[in-house]
Amino acid sequence: MEIHQLRYLIAVADEGSFSRAAAREHVAQPSLSQQIQKLEAEMDQRLFDRLPRSVVVTEAGKCLLEYARRILAEIADARRCVDELKDEIVGRLAVGAIPTIAPYVLPALIGKFQHRYPKVTLEIFEDTTESLVRRLEDGELDIALVSTCDESPTLQRHSLGKEPLLILLPEEHPLAKKKKIKWSDLKSQKFLLLHEMHCLSTQVSQFLATHHLRPELAVRGAQLATIARMVAAGMGVSLVPQMMIETDHVTGCISLPFAAPVPLRELNLVRNPLRFQSKAAAAFQEEAAAAFSSQTNAR
């Protein structure tokens, strides 16, 4: 059993496809398939059922998969431990962020981090909170920037502060002349929300329910940028993070703050406390805390 075979096993299980797994691992598909076959021969068990349109992990595969993830996580930790013996901050750092944070925070944060620590190789993953948490638990990520997230034995949360949400309106909307929006102003409005897989969608729905609002839902979108363009086209209104407005100019829209009570979302950095924290991960956590603190103070 070889380390690269375990990587290929995890990739096929995650992707549900030999071709996608090969692309992810940057190897030719025949080579990857051959290594999986060697692993199956060594285990004397079939690890995957090859169906016409998909690949399904067998019970034997699921059993080995659990150990494979653990083994690769331990190997990564061993490498980090050795790296700690060096004076410089070096190594690989895998950072995740949800889509409603990543485009507005990561470019500046990563630019500053790489300037200070040029020998750290960064890998960036943008995904939903659920997927990022799974990657943290599996050892694929070192750190993730999320919003709401519960702590657990495999998940430690470090608060980066709270951020207000703003109402996004078309420029010609009757409410656009107001200085602040009251919740009661939104009773007859059509709303544009992200898909329910995004935590921001859940947060907005909870805010609306708290204020006894059951607005007509015009559409759900996959990205805030798409939602903003739909708002500009007059299809409805939406609640968006302040960092989006501070970072991107949304043509055809106007953003307004809320009168009290102001809707706020949490901003958190999360990591797996069961894993060794490298100097690079600790340095990134420090940089992230400073970046979010400066943004909060600027507001």
Side-chain angles (χ1 to χ4, degrees):
M1 187 184 303
E2 299 183 29
I3 300 302
H4 68 277
Q5 291 174 336
L6 298 182
R7 287 205 325 271
Y8 296 167
L9 172 77
I10 292 171
V12 174
D14 286 348
E15 300 295 334
S17 161
F18 280 86
S19 59
R20 289 196 297 270
R24 168 171 148 175
E25 292 296 318
H26 306 291
V27 296
Q29 182 178 338
S31 177
L32 182 141
S33 298
Q34 185 181 45
Q35 292 301 317
I36 293 295
Q37 289 170 1
K38 286 183 178 180
L39 190 57
E40 288 178 320
E42 183 176 349
M43 295 290 102
D44 195 26
Q45 290 272 8
R46 187 162 59 183
L47 303 176
F48 297 101
D49 288 330
R50 283 82 163 168
L51 304 181
R53 296 186 179 180
S54 64
V55 176
V56 179
V57 187
T58 65
E59 287 302 312
K62 291 177 183 177
C63 180
L64 182 58
L65 189 63
E66 180 181 346
Y67 285 95
R69 294 189 191 279
R70 198 181 308 165
I71 289 167
L72 292 186
E74 290 291 337
I75 289 173
D77 283 348
R79 287 173 176 162
R80 290 185 179 87
C81 185
V82 173
D83 285 340
E84 293 300 297
L85 300 176
K86 303 175 183 178
D87 293 331
E88 295 179 292
I89 295 180
V90 298
R92 171 187 170 275
L93 185 65
V95 177
I98 58 175
T100 58
I101 289 179
Y104 315 118
V105 171
L106 286 186
L109 175 57
I110 289 174
K112 185 176 180 180
F113 182 83
Q114 288 189 317
H115 179 73
R116 293 192 63 179
Y117 306 105
K119 294 188 178 181
V120 176
T121 301
L122 282 167
E123 287 191 64
I124 307 302
F125 298 85
E126 185 176 340
D127 213 330
T128 61
T129 301
E130 182 180 355
S131 295
L132 295 179
V133 167
R134 179 188 61 77
R135 287 176 180 266
L136 282 168
E137 291 174 340
D138 291 344
E140 298 174 22
L141 283 181
D142 299 297
I143 279 174
L145 300 175
V146 301
S147 183
T148 52
C149 191
D150 294 328
E151 284 194 318
S152 69
T154 57
L155 202 68
Q156 186 178 66
R157 186 177 64 229
H158 301 270
S159 176
L160 298 172
K162 293 185 178 182
E163 176 193 30
L165 302 180
L166 307 178
I167 190 74
L168 193 67
L169 307 163
E171 283 182 339
E172 302 302 321
H173 196 282
L175 294 176
K177 297 178 182 179
K178 285 180 168 283
K179 291 185 177 180
K180 291 187 176 181
I181 292 293
K182 297 178 182 178
W183 288 100
S184 57
D185 295 330
L186 303 176
K187 286 183 178 179
S188 60
Q189 300 301 315
K190 292 183 179 180
F191 265 76
L192 309 174
L193 299 180
L194 289 170
H195 289 302
E196 292 176 339
M197 70 179 70
H198 297 281
C199 61
L200 181 61
S201 176
T202 302
Q203 291 163 345
V204 172
S205 296
Q206 289 172 346
F207 285 129
L208 294 173
T210 298
H211 295 282
H212 310 290
L213 295 175
R214 299 182 181 275
E216 180 182 350
L217 183 60
V219 71
R220 287 190 182 273
Q223 298 179 355
L224 282 177
T226 304
I227 293 288
R229 289 187 178 93
M230 291 180 177
V231 170
M235 296 176 61
V237 304
S238 189
L239 266 71
V240 297
Q242 184 165 316
M243 64 174 62
M244 171 187 173
I245 301 303
E246 292 173 343
T247 307
D248 291 345
H249 174 68
V250 184
T251 304
C253 295
I254 186 168
S255 61
L256 295 174
F258 278 83
V262 175
L264 301 171
R265 71 164 177 170
E266 296 179 2
L267 300 171
N268 292 297
L269 180 147
V270 290
R271 60 175 298 270
N272 188 342
L274 301 182
R275 298 194 61 210
F276 175 82
Q277 186 179 36
S278 67
K279 288 182 180 178
F284 189 90
Q285 181 174 331
E286 185 177 334
E287 291 287 342
F292 278 89
S293 177
S294 63
Q295 285 184 358
T296 302
N297 292 335
R299 294 179 189 131

